[in-house]
Amino acid sequence: MFRFAPLASGSGGNVTFLEAGETRLLVDAGKSCKLVCALLEQIDVDPKTLSGILITHEHGDHISGVDVLSRKFDLPVYANEKCWFAMREKLSGVAPKNRRVFVSDEDFYIGALRIFPFSTYHDAAHPVGFTFSHAGSKCAVCTDIGHIDERILAALSGCRLVLLESNHDVDLLMSGSYSRDLKRRVLGGHGHLCNEDCGRALVRLYGSGVRGAILGHLSQENNYPPLAMATVREILAAAGIDHEMQLALAERDEPTGVFEIA
């Protein structure tokens, strides 16, 4: 059984907790060590029991607490080679013995947990999402993605639960205060996934067996939780599957809840 808990999701910081068997991991740690510990306390997890931290990419809202957490609790930190190079100064305090390098698009194991770091599309050195497989169950984290292609859909197929980006509403973004360059970045193929694209991806994923999704990494300026949920549900309804897909919304600054996946 998995225990899966988004602890924070958004441009202010991203942290997700995952437990399978004896393995307890964080996917990213984009909040301070103090805040990450407080978030873990809210779901009754002692940070001393963590097995490590997985990094999707080197942006500050995903790694700002990693250095201190690793040093304080002697935690291994896992990232691909290009990501490690890009964050070498920010994570200079991570002990050499705790620097672990995985190869993107190749499985690796932590304990009995199989992890697949699949390459994604974002303006970072070599961003990835993760799928996790254990005892016949599978779940995933897939945010900070400019677009989804067949390769990513294949990686996510069969998941019981996916944390999937639903970052922005295009109309709100275009009429908002962002600069022209920033709007272009968000909308680009290596930017962020909009509500509509999230919904369309979930329609495709339903066909591969996905039945649960948590909408994550919502923009604070260019989205609203009710709007993201309504847009995705409308797309699912048009496909006739709105009652078949269980949806939740990841909170920006507090645990969304603990999801148990049998």
Side-chain angles (χ1 to χ4, degrees), residues 12 32 39 87 106 108 129 137 173 176 178 182 211 228-229 239 261:
S32 71
L39 291 167
M87 61 186 183
E106 293 187 11
F108 68 100
S137 292
L173 174 66
Y178 278 13
L182 185 51
R211 295 294 183 270
M229 184 68 81
I261 309 164

Side-chain angles (χ1 to χ4, degrees), residues 148-155 204:
I148 290 182
D149 59 11
E150 295 297 327
R151 181 182 53 79
I152 293 178
L153 290 170
R204 295 286 307 279

